[in-house]
Amino acid sequence: MQKTKRLPLIEKILTETLISSQDELLRKLKSKGISCTQATLSRDLRQLGVSRVPDGSGGYRYSLAEKNASPAERETKLHIISVISGIVEAKGLLLVKTIPGNASATAFYIDNAGRKEIAGTIAGDDTILVIPHDGISRMQVHTCLEIILPGLHEKLKKS
Amino acid sequence: MQKTKRLPLIEKILTETLISSQDELLRKLKSKGISCTQATLSRDLRQLGVSRVPDGSGGYRYSLAEKNASPAERETKLHIISVISGIVEAKGLLLVKTIPGNASATAFYIDNAGRKEIAGTIAGDDTILVIPHDGISRMQVHTCLEIILPGLHEKLKKS
DNA sequence: TTGTCTTTTGCATATTTATGCATTTTTTTT
DNA sequence: AAAAAAAATGCATAAATATGCAAAAGACAA
């Protein structure tokens, strides 16, 4: 399944390059070894929350919401990612492990992302319990976290 | 020419209502007495810098850049508008009059809008000189200012 | 493993959005 | 005021994007 590779790559491309159509993105992806159809991209972009904004000179560009985020916010995100040591699943819930003392800041960050997939979080000292809403699948939670904190899924401990 | 009424109305509608397609916006406009075609709307939205963003539940919505702006920023805009007493044209340039002492803050605001139509501004105590780039028509400058500070054109002193 | 259920994906196509061109309206110049 | 230039707009259509449906791939439980 390509999606777990594709989404992060799309995010990366969008931050590094000026993309103005899905076909253009499609070609960029292919040149990096990932190929799919425009239909799939359309769905990916929606899932990633990517918006299409006028570029001010007659064209359009695709833009990650982050672009509008302040440098401080981007900083925070990187910090949060660096502080997470692993993810494990148990009882249909998700446990995010951080280095000691960082759980509550991380939980706060996740809460504030405002994703409707997540009902809430409970943080100890180095562990966060992420509670998904009813009807949200494990897969949806993963994708959701991947959107909030790209690259996170690589820290998933398989059971 | 409807455009001077249409653009501000579009902005108003977008801040008040959730719009998810140009046709929907078209109908809303018609219900408020302004009618045009989808083609015109497409051009308007581009000019206003309106972007189309995933709404997080499978659909899309049109969003003014402002939506992403902080409340403080919106506050500032309202304040700036309230402080402008009039606009006059002279020698192909634009003079914006403010209440005394407010010119430089206003000029700063205009500069920071980052519009390419405007080369720069010079502020005194209660007057700002707005200098458009070569090749930018009076009309373009007006529209540009209308985008930065909606409602402004009503303060234009006819010559 | 086998069958069941969920997710991902492509294909074909519907829907939506953008645009070239011609026309009308507005602005600017003479 | 008349002529010339620029801008706005609609129409028809091109281009881009989204989506229903079916097939394939993967996850999961028994």
Side-chain angles (χ1 to χ4, degrees), chain A residues 46 51-52 56 58 60 68 116, chain B residues 46 52 56 58 60 68 116:
Chain A
R46 158 148 70 198
S51 58
R52 187 167 194 239
Y60 293 84
N68 308 337
K116 63 180 184 337
Chain B
R46 159 147 70 200
R52 188 168 194 238
Y60 293 85
N68 307 338
K116 60 180 187 337

Side-chain angles (χ1 to χ4, degrees), chain A residues 6 17 20 56 62 88 119 131 144:
Chain A
R6 212 174 48 237
T17 345
S20 48
Y62 279 90
V88 296
I131 303 139
C144 163

Side-chain angles (χ1 to χ4, degrees), chain B residues 72-108:
Chain B
E73 281 164 345
R74 269 178 275 187
E75 190 58 38
T76 302
K77 175 189 258 184
L78 291 179
H79 177 250
I80 294 288
I81 291 177
S82 74
V83 118
I84 295 176
S85 54
I87 309 178
V88 296
E89 291 176 331
K91 309 269 183 194
L93 302 170
L94 217 63
L95 291 174
V96 178
K97 305 280 296 180
T98 70
I99 61 181
N102 285 83
S104 67
T106 303
F108 182 77

Side-chain angles (χ1 to χ4, degrees), chain A residues 42 45-54 56-60 68 116, chain B residues 42 45-54 56-60 68 116:
Chain A
S42 170
L45 291 178
R46 158 148 70 198
Q47 187 166 16
L48 287 170
V50 170
S51 58
R52 187 167 194 239
V53 337
S57 25
Y60 293 84
N68 308 337
K116 63 180 184 337
Chain B
S42 170
L45 292 177
R46 159 147 70 200
Q47 186 167 15
L48 288 170
V50 170
S51 57
R52 188 168 194 238
V53 336
S57 26
Y60 293 85
N68 307 338
K116 60 180 187 337

